[in-house]
C-alpha cells in the first residue's frame, strides 16, 4: 500500500542545517560621489587606516632589530655549545730539615695542645701552614727548606658547525714555582737566610698562524720578531719580541690591566671533524663512510729564574705548533670477501722555535710528513687444521 503521507524528495536539496532557509549574499554597489568638476571622489574607510597604522606600529624598529641580531650572535658564539668542561688542579709540597722536636708529630696532630718536642705542628702536617716548629740549634749548620707549587687549568668545549661537522676547542695553562732556601742556624736559635734559589716554568696553549698563502695577512713569524726587536735599543726586550712576534692575536698584551697576566692567558686550539661525506653525489660511490678531520695544537713554554734583586729572568723560551693532521681523509669501504676494509690518508706538519737568551739566536726545527694506512679484518671464518675446524680472526695492516 502507498503511505498516507507522501514526502517529495528534491534532488537539489540543500545541506543539512540549511533546510527551509533561503540564504542570499548580496552586496549593494556603493554610491559614487562627484565633485563640482565632475571628478569622482575617493572615499577611504577609517578602519583600513587604523589597521595599517597598527601594522606599522607593530614592526620592530631598526634599533630593536640590531639588538636582536647582537643577542642572537652572542648566543651563537658564547652559549650554543654541546659540552663545557673546566678543570683546575693545585699541588703544593713543603719540606724542612733540622727540626728541634724528637717525636713524629702524632700527638700534635690528634691532641688538643701543641708540644714543640713532640714533632711538627698540625697545620704543617695538613699542608696549610709553613710553620713546622722550632729548628735545632747546631752551631752554624746549614738547613734546607724546599717548597714547590704546581697549578694547571684545562678548559674544553665543543659545538656543531654544520650538518655532520663539529669543532672541539680547548685551552690549557700551567705554571709551577720551585723555591730552595738555605738557612743558617746559630747556637742561640736565631735563623738567617743565607741563599734563596727560585725557579719557575710556564706552559700554555698558544696560537700562531704561519704566513702562507692567504694567511700572510697575519703578521706573525720570525720576520715579525726581527721587526719588534732592535739590538741598538737598550730598552728593547728580545723575550717580549719573541712572544709577540709569533702571537697571532696579541690583544691581551695591549690591554693595560691585563698586561701582567697576558702571558698566563691560554689561547684556543681546535679539532674539526666532518662525517657523512659519503652522502655527497660525487663521493657516494667511493666508499660506505667518508670523513675528514683537521687539528691544530700549539704550546708556549717558558722557564725563568729569580735574580738576586728579585726579578724574574727568562732562561728558556720555546714555541711549538703543528697541524696533526692538516688534512686527514678516513674511508670505510664495503664488505670485501666477507671482511671489513678501511683506510686513511693524512698530511701533518710540525714546527719548533727555540730562543737562546744568552746567544740571541732562534733555532727552527720543522717536519712535514704524509702517511696512509690500509686495514683489512675478517672474523669468524673456519679454517680446518689437522681434522679440526676452528673459528679464526685475521687482520692485515699496511
Amino acid at each position: 500500500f502507498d503511505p498516507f503521507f507522501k514526502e517529495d524528495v528534491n534532488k537539489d536539496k540543500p545541506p543539512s542545517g540549511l533546510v527551509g532557509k533561503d540564504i542570499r549574499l548580496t552586496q549593494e554597489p556603493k554610491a559614487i560621489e562627484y565633485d563640482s568638476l565632475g571628478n569622482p571622489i575617493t572615499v577611504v574607510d577609517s578602519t583600513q587606516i587604523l589597521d595599517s597604522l597598527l601594522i606599522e606600529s607593530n614592526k620592530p624598529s631598526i634599533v630593536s632589530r640590531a639588538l636582536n641580531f647582537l643577542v642572537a650572535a652572542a648566543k651563537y658564539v658564547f652559549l650554543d655549545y654541546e659540552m663545557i668542561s673546566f678543570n683546575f688542579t693545585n699541588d703544593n709540597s713543603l719540606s724542612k730539615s733540622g727540626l728541634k722536636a724528637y717525636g713524629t708529630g702524632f700527638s700534635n696532630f690528634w691532641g688538643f695542645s701543641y708540644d714543640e718536642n713532640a714533632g711538627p705542628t698540625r697545620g704543617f702536617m695538613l699542608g696549610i701552614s709553613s710553620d713546622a716548629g722550632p729548628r735545632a740549634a747546631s752551631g752554624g749548620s746549614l738547613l734546607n727548606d724546599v717548597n714547590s707549587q704546581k697549578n694547571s687549568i684545562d678548559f674544553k668545549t665543543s659545538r656543531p658547525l654544520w650538518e655532520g661537522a663539529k669543532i672541539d676547542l680547548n685551552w690549557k695553562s700551567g705554571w709551577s714555582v720551585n723555591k730552595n732556601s738555605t738557612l743558617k742556624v746559630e747556637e742561640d736559635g736565631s735563623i738567617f737566610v743565607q741563599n734563596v734559589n727560585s725557579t719557575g716554568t710556564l706552559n700554555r696553549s698558544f696560537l700562531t698562524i704561519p704566513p702562507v698563502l692567504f694567511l700572510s695577512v697575519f703578521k706573525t713569524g720570525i720576520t715579525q720578531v726581527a721587526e719588534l726587536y732592535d739590538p741598538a735599543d737598550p730598552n728593547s726586550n728580545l723575550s717580549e719580541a719573541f712572544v709577540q712576534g709569533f702571537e697571532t692575536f696579541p690583544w691581551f698584551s695591549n690591554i693595560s690591566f691585563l698586561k701582567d697576566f697576558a702571558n698566563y692567558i691560554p689561547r684556543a686550539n681546535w679539532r674539526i671533524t666532518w662525517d657523512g661525506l659519503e652522502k655527497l653525489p660525487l663521493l657516494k660511490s667511493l666508499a660506505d663512510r667518508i670523513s675528514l678531520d683537521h687539528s691544530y695544537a700549539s704550546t708556549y713554554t717558558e722557564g725563568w729564574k729569580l735574580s738576586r734583586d728579585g726579578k724574574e729572568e727568562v732562561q728558556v723560551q720555546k714555541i711549538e705548533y703543528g697541524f696533526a693532521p692538516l688534512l686527514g681523509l678516513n674511508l670505510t669501504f664495503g664488505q670485501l670477501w666477507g671482511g671489513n676494509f678501511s683506510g686513511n690518508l693524512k698530511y701533518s706538519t710540525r714546527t719548533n722555535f727555540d730562543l737562546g737568551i744568552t746567544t740571541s739566536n732562534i733555532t727552527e726545527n720543522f717536519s712535514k710528513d704524509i702517511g696512509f694506512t690500509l686495514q683489512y679484518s675478517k672474523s669468524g671464518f673456519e679454517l680446518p687444521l689437522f681434522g679440526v675446524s676452528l673459528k679464526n680472526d685475521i687482520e692485515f695492516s699496511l
Side-chain angles (χ1 to χ4, degrees):
F1 297 94
D2 296 333
F4 292 101
F5 302 98
K6 294 183 178 180
E7 182 178 0
D8 295 335
V9 179
N10 188 6
K11 295 182 179 180
D12 298 332
K13 181 179 180 181
S16 59
L18 299 178
V19 179
K21 297 181 181 179
D22 186 9
I23 299 176
R24 296 181 181 179
L25 299 177
T26 60
Q27 183 177 5
E28 297 180 358
K30 295 181 179 180
I32 301 176
E33 299 181 1
Y34 298 90
D35 56 8
S36 60
L37 299 178
N39 298 322
I41 300 175
T42 303
V43 179
V44 181
D45 192 355
S46 60
T47 57
Q48 296 179 357
I49 299 177
L50 291 177
D51 292 342
S52 62
L53 291 176
L54 289 175
I55 294 174
E56 291 293 333
S57 63
N58 291 331
K59 288 184 178 180
S61 62
I62 297 177
V63 177
S64 62
R65 281 183 288 180
L67 290 176
N68 292 335
F69 174 77
L70 292 177
V71 170
K75 178 178 179 294
Y76 178 81
V77 173
F78 298 105
L79 299 178
D80 288 346
Y81 295 97
E82 294 181 349
M83 176 273 300
I84 295 178
S85 173
F86 177 80
N87 295 318
F88 172 74
T89 59
N90 173 263
D91 296 329
N92 290 279
S93 176
L94 177 62
S95 64
K96 294 190 175 186
S97 62
L99 296 183
K100 183 180 179 180
Y102 299 97
T104 61
F106 183 85
S107 59
N108 286 338
F109 187 86
W110 298 104
F112 295 98
S113 60
Y114 167 70
D115 183 6
E116 64 179 18
N117 293 321
T121 63
R122 182 188 293 111
F124 181 81
M125 288 184 282
L126 289 174
I128 59 177
S129 174
S130 60
D131 183 14
R135 314 299 281 269
S138 54
S141 62
L142 299 180
L143 305 178
N144 292 324
D145 286 359
V146 180
N147 184 12
S148 64
Q149 183 185 85
K150 294 181 181 180
N151 303 275
S152 65
I153 297 175
D154 187 1
F155 183 79
K156 297 179 181 179
T157 186
S158 63
R159 64 177 304 151
L161 296 176
W162 56 84
E163 184 179 359
K166 185 182 71 170
I167 183 171
D168 297 316
L169 300 170
N170 65 85
W171 295 260
K172 293 182 180 180
S173 182
W175 63 97
S176 64
V177 177
N178 300 307
K179 185 177 180 181
N180 191 344
S181 303
T182 303
L183 309 178
K184 185 178 182 180
V185 183
E186 301 294 344
E187 293 183 356
D188 57 355
S190 57
I191 301 176
F192 299 94
V193 179
Q194 191 175 36
N195 184 29
V196 176
N197 184 14
S198 182
T199 60
T201 61
L202 170 64
N203 187 287
R204 65 174 174 89
S205 56
F206 199 70
L207 178 60
T208 176
I209 300 178
V212 294
L213 300 179
F214 63 91
L215 299 178
S216 59
V217 295
F218 300 107
K219 293 183 177 181
T220 58
I222 193 67
T223 305
Q224 184 66 14
V225 176
E227 292 180 0
L228 295 176
Y229 176 67
D230 184 9
D233 185 5
N235 296 324
S236 181
N237 193 321
L238 179 58
S239 177
E240 294 180 359
F242 181 76
V243 179
Q244 295 180 8
F246 280 102
E247 188 78 66
T248 300
F249 301 109
W251 298 329
F252 299 107
S253 302
N254 300 326
I255 303 176
S256 57
F257 65 91
L258 290 177
K259 190 173 183 179
D260 296 335
F261 304 98
N263 206 27
Y264 292 86
I265 300 177
R267 274 56 165 180
N269 292 172
W270 63 83
R271 183 177 185 85
I272 299 175
T273 56
W274 187 5
D275 298 325
L277 292 177
E278 69 278 358
K279 299 177 182 178
L280 299 178
L282 297 178
L283 303 176
K284 185 177 296 183
S285 59
L286 183 60
D288 289 349
R289 292 190 60 185
I290 304 176
S291 64
L292 290 175
D293 59 321
H294 163 80
S295 177
Y296 173 82
S298 181
T299 304
Y300 170 72
T301 304
E302 177 182 301
W304 54 267
K305 181 180 180 181
L306 198 66
S307 62
R308 289 184 177 272
D309 55 357
K311 295 182 179 180
E312 295 182 3
E313 296 180 350
V314 178
Q315 303 292 317
V316 178
Q317 277 184 293
K318 185 176 182 180
I319 292 175
E320 304 176 57
Y321 71 90
F323 299 91
L326 179 64
L327 184 63
L329 177 65
N330 305 298
L331 303 172
T332 301
F333 301 96
Q335 292 286 328
L336 179 63
W337 302 322
N340 298 320
F341 184 48
S342 62
N344 61 68
L345 178 66
K346 297 181 182 296
Y347 175 71
S348 304
T349 64
R350 192 73 185 173
T351 307
N352 301 334
F353 289 96
D354 291 281
L355 172 62
I357 301 296
T358 56
T359 59
S360 300
N361 292 331
I362 297 177
T363 305
E364 177 186 6
N365 297 315
F366 66 92
S367 64
K368 300 177 182 179
D369 61 85
I370 181 171
F372 71 93
T373 302
L374 295 176
Q375 292 181 345
Y376 176 79
S377 62
K378 184 178 181 180
S379 60
F381 68 95
E382 295 184 356
L383 181 65
L385 182 63
F386 301 111
V388 180
S389 183
L390 302 175
K391 288 187 176 181
N392 298 270
D393 299 337
I394 190 171
E395 180 177 349
F396 294 97
S397 178
L398 173 64

CSV table of all heavy atoms in Angstrom, one decimal, residues 26-53:
chain,number,residue,atom,x,y,z
A,26,THR,N,24.2,39.4,-0.9
A,26,THR,CA,24.2,40.4,-1.9
A,26,THR,C,25.0,41.6,-1.4
A,26,THR,O,25.1,41.8,-0.2
A,26,THR,CB,22.7,40.9,-2.2
A,26,THR,OG1,22.1,41.3,-1.0
A,26,THR,CG2,21.9,39.7,-2.8
A,27,GLN,N,25.6,42.3,-2.3
A,27,GLN,CA,26.4,43.5,-1.9
A,27,GLN,C,25.9,44.6,-2.8
A,27,GLN,O,26.0,44.5,-4.1
A,27,GLN,CB,27.9,43.2,-2.1
A,27,GLN,CG,28.7,44.4,-1.7
A,27,GLN,CD,30.2,44.1,-1.9
A,27,GLN,OE1,30.5,43.0,-2.4
A,27,GLN,NE2,31.0,45.0,-1.5
A,28,GLU,N,25.4,45.6,-2.2
A,28,GLU,CA,24.9,46.8,-3.0
A,28,GLU,C,26.0,47.6,-3.4
A,28,GLU,O,27.0,47.9,-2.6
A,28,GLU,CB,23.9,47.6,-2.1
A,28,GLU,CG,22.7,46.7,-1.7
A,28,GLU,CD,21.7,47.6,-0.9
A,28,GLU,OE1,22.1,48.7,-0.6
A,28,GLU,OE2,20.6,47.1,-0.6
A,29,PRO,N,26.1,48.1,-4.6
A,29,PRO,CA,27.2,49.0,-5.0
A,29,PRO,C,27.2,50.3,-4.2
A,29,PRO,O,26.1,50.8,-3.9
A,29,PRO,CB,26.9,49.2,-6.5
A,29,PRO,CG,25.4,48.9,-6.6
A,29,PRO,CD,25.1,47.9,-5.6
A,30,LYS,N,28.4,50.7,-3.9
A,30,LYS,CA,28.5,52.0,-3.2
A,30,LYS,C,28.2,53.2,-4.2
A,30,LYS,O,28.7,53.1,-5.3
A,30,LYS,CB,29.9,52.1,-2.6
A,30,LYS,CG,30.1,51.1,-1.5
A,30,LYS,CD,31.5,51.3,-0.9
A,30,LYS,CE,31.8,50.3,0.2
A,30,LYS,NZ,33.1,50.5,0.8
A,31,ALA,N,27.6,54.1,-3.6
A,31,ALA,CA,27.3,55.3,-4.4
A,31,ALA,C,28.5,56.1,-4.6
A,31,ALA,O,29.3,56.4,-3.7
A,31,ALA,CB,26.2,56.2,-3.7
A,32,ILE,N,28.8,56.5,-5.9
A,32,ILE,CA,30.0,57.2,-6.2
A,32,ILE,C,29.6,58.7,-6.2
A,32,ILE,O,28.7,59.2,-6.8
A,32,ILE,CB,30.5,56.9,-7.6
A,32,ILE,CG1,30.8,55.4,-7.7
A,32,ILE,CG2,31.7,57.7,-8.0
A,32,ILE,CD1,31.2,54.9,-9.1
A,33,GLU,N,30.4,59.5,-5.4
A,33,GLU,CA,30.2,60.9,-5.3
A,33,GLU,C,31.2,61.6,-6.2
A,33,GLU,O,32.3,61.2,-6.5
A,33,GLU,CB,30.4,61.4,-3.9
A,33,GLU,CG,29.5,60.7,-2.9
A,33,GLU,CD,29.7,61.2,-1.4
A,33,GLU,OE1,30.6,62.0,-1.3
A,33,GLU,OE2,29.0,60.7,-0.5
A,34,TYR,N,30.7,62.8,-6.7
A,34,TYR,CA,31.5,63.6,-7.7
A,34,TYR,C,31.6,65.0,-7.1
A,34,TYR,O,30.7,65.5,-6.4
A,34,TYR,CB,30.8,63.6,-9.0
A,34,TYR,CG,30.6,62.2,-9.7
A,34,TYR,CD1,29.5,61.4,-9.5
A,34,TYR,CD2,31.7,61.8,-10.5
A,34,TYR,CE1,29.4,60.2,-10.1
A,34,TYR,CE2,31.5,60.5,-11.1
A,34,TYR,CZ,30.4,59.8,-10.9
A,34,TYR,OH,30.3,58.5,-11.5
A,35,ASP,N,32.7,65.6,-7.5
A,35,ASP,CA,32.9,67.0,-7.1
A,35,ASP,C,32.3,67.9,-8.1
A,35,ASP,O,31.6,67.5,-9.0
A,35,ASP,CB,34.4,67.3,-7.0
A,35,ASP,CG,35.2,67.0,-8.2
A,35,ASP,OD1,34.5,66.7,-9.2
A,35,ASP,OD2,36.4,67.0,-8.2
A,36,SER,N,32.5,69.2,-7.9
A,36,SER,CA,31.8,70.2,-8.7
A,36,SER,C,32.3,70.1,-10.2
A,36,SER,O,31.6,70.5,-11.1
A,36,SER,CB,32.1,71.6,-8.2
A,36,SER,OG,33.5,71.8,-8.1
A,37,LEU,N,33.5,69.6,-10.4
A,37,LEU,CA,34.0,69.5,-11.8
A,37,LEU,C,33.6,68.2,-12.4
A,37,LEU,O,34.0,67.9,-13.6
A,37,LEU,CB,35.5,69.6,-11.8
A,37,LEU,CG,36.1,71.0,-11.3
A,37,LEU,CD1,37.6,71.0,-11.3
A,37,LEU,CD2,35.5,72.1,-12.1
A,38,GLY,N,33.0,67.3,-11.7
A,38,GLY,CA,32.6,66.0,-12.2
A,38,GLY,C,33.5,64.9,-12.0
A,38,GLY,O,33.4,63.8,-12.6
A,39,ASN,N,34.6,65.1,-11.2
A,39,ASN,CA,35.6,64.0,-11.0
A,39,ASN,C,35.1,63.2,-9.8
A,39,ASN,O,34.6,63.7,-8.8
A,39,ASN,CB,36.9,64.6,-10.7
A,39,ASN,CG,37.5,65.4,-11.8
A,39,ASN,OD1,37.3,65.0,-13.0
A,39,ASN,ND2,38.1,66.6,-11.5
A,40,PRO,N,35.3,61.9,-9.9
A,40,PRO,CA,34.9,61.0,-8.7
A,40,PRO,C,35.7,61.3,-7.5
A,40,PRO,O,36.9,61.5,-7.6
A,40,PRO,CB,35.1,59.6,-9.3
A,40,PRO,CG,36.1,59.7,-10.3
A,40,PRO,CD,35.9,61.1,-10.9
A,41,ILE,N,35.1,61.2,-6.3
A,41,ILE,CA,35.7,61.4,-5.0
A,41,ILE,C,36.0,60.1,-4.4
A,41,ILE,O,35.1,59.2,-4.3
A,41,ILE,CB,34.9,62.3,-4.1
A,41,ILE,CG1,34.6,63.7,-4.8
A,41,ILE,CG2,35.5,62.4,-2.7
A,41,ILE,CD1,33.6,64.5,-3.9
A,42,THR,N,37.3,59.8,-4.1
A,42,THR,CA,37.7,58.6,-3.4
A,42,THR,C,37.4,58.6,-2.0
A,42,THR,O,37.8,59.5,-1.2
A,42,THR,CB,39.2,58.3,-3.7
A,42,THR,OG1,39.4,58.3,-5.1
A,42,THR,CG2,39.6,57.0,-3.1
A,43,VAL,N,36.6,57.6,-1.5
A,43,VAL,CA,36.2,57.5,-0.1
A,43,VAL,C,37.1,56.4,0.6
A,43,VAL,O,37.1,55.3,0.1
A,43,VAL,CB,34.7,57.3,0.1
A,43,VAL,CG1,34.4,57.2,1.6
A,43,VAL,CG2,33.9,58.3,-0.6
A,44,VAL,N,37.8,56.8,1.6
A,44,VAL,CA,38.7,55.8,2.3
A,44,VAL,C,38.0,55.5,3.6
A,44,VAL,O,37.6,56.4,4.4
A,44,VAL,CB,40.1,56.4,2.5
A,44,VAL,CG1,41.0,55.4,3.2
A,44,VAL,CG2,40.7,56.8,1.2
A,45,ASP,N,38.0,54.1,3.9
A,45,ASP,CA,37.4,53.7,5.1
A,45,ASP,C,38.4,53.9,6.3
A,45,ASP,O,39.6,53.7,6.2
A,45,ASP,CB,37.1,52.2,5.0
A,45,ASP,CG,36.2,51.7,6.2
A,45,ASP,OD1,35.9,52.5,7.1
A,45,ASP,OD2,35.8,50.5,6.2
A,46,SER,N,37.9,54.5,7.4
A,46,SER,CA,38.7,54.8,8.5
A,46,SER,C,39.3,53.6,9.2
A,46,SER,O,40.4,53.6,9.8
A,46,SER,CB,37.9,55.6,9.5
A,46,SER,OG,36.8,54.9,10.0
A,47,THR,N,38.5,52.4,9.1
A,47,THR,CA,39.1,51.2,9.7
A,47,THR,C,40.3,50.7,9.0
A,47,THR,O,41.2,50.2,9.7
A,47,THR,CB,38.0,50.1,9.7
A,47,THR,OG1,37.6,49.9,8.3
A,47,THR,CG2,36.8,50.6,10.5
A,48,GLN,N,40.4,50.9,7.7
A,48,GLN,CA,41.6,50.5,7.0
A,48,GLN,C,42.8,51.3,7.4
A,48,GLN,O,43.9,50.8,7.5
A,48,GLN,CB,41.3,50.6,5.5
A,48,GLN,CG,40.2,49.7,4.9
A,48,GLN,CD,40.0,49.8,3.5
A,48,GLN,OE1,40.6,50.7,2.8
A,48,GLN,NE2,39.1,49.0,2.9
A,49,ILE,N,42.6,52.6,7.6
A,49,ILE,CA,43.7,53.5,8.1
A,49,ILE,C,44.2,53.0,9.4
A,49,ILE,O,45.4,52.9,9.7
A,49,ILE,CB,43.2,54.9,8.1
A,49,ILE,CG1,42.8,55.4,6.7
A,49,ILE,CG2,44.3,55.8,8.7
A,49,ILE,CD1,42.3,56.8,6.6
A,50,LEU,N,43.2,52.7,10.3
A,50,LEU,CA,43.7,52.2,11.7
A,50,LEU,C,44.4,50.9,11.6
A,50,LEU,O,45.4,50.7,12.3
A,50,LEU,CB,42.4,52.1,12.6
A,50,LEU,CG,41.7,53.4,12.9
A,50,LEU,CD1,40.5,53.1,13.8
A,50,LEU,CD2,42.7,54.3,13.7
A,51,ASP,N,44.0,50.0,10.8
A,51,ASP,CA,44.6,48.7,10.6
A,51,ASP,C,46.1,48.9,10.1
A,51,ASP,O,47.0,48.3,10.6
A,51,ASP,CB,43.9,47.8,9.7
A,51,ASP,CG,42.5,47.4,10.3
A,51,ASP,OD1,42.4,47.5,11.6
A,51,ASP,OD2,41.6,46.9,9.6
A,52,SER,N,46.2,49.8,9.1
A,52,SER,CA,47.6,50.0,8.6
A,52,SER,C,48.5,50.6,9.6
A,52,SER,O,49.7,50.3,9.7
A,52,SER,CB,47.5,50.9,7.3
A,52,SER,OG,46.9,52.1,7.6
A,53,LEU,N,47.9,51.5,10.4
A,53,LEU,CA,48.7,52.2,11.5
A,53,LEU,C,49.2,51.2,12.5
A,53,LEU,O,50.3,51.2,13.0
A,53,LEU,CB,48.0,53.3,12.1
A,53,LEU,CG,47.7,54.6,11.2
A,53,LEU,CD1,46.9,55.6,11.9
A,53,LEU,CD2,49.1,55.2,10.8
